Amino acid sequence: MKPQQVGIYLLILFAIFFVVTDPSTAGEWGRDFFGWLGDGLGNALDFLDELFGDDAPPPTTTVTDVG
């Protein structure tokens, strides 16, 4: 068995243990975690959209008459 598989199985077993031990707290923490994860993903997408999006106005240059 590969080390990655062992880690995944241990994570699944920990999640099952966590839910069986105290389901109400596990549900609340799970909901908070997924809310935090969704907010972070939304913020990251907003950042990338502002960084690479086409909504930004083009840069303007001013020309002064020197003559």
Side-chain angles (χ1 to χ4, degrees), residues 3-64:
Q4 293 88 1
Q5 290 175 331
V6 172
I8 290 172
Y9 288 132
L10 287 175
L11 184 62
I12 291 170
L13 285 175
F14 176 72
I16 291 170
F17 170 76
F18 189 60
V19 169
V20 170
T21 303
D22 191 3
S24 62
T25 302
E28 182 180 336
W29 286 0
R31 185 178 54 244
D32 290 344
F33 172 73
F34 284 115
W36 173 81
L37 191 64
D39 289 344
L41 181 61
N43 290 340
L45 291 175
D46 288 343
F47 169 74
L48 291 175
D49 188 41
E50 289 296 321
L51 187 62
F52 297 114
D54 292 335
D55 295 340
T60 57
T61 57
T62 56
V63 178
T64 56

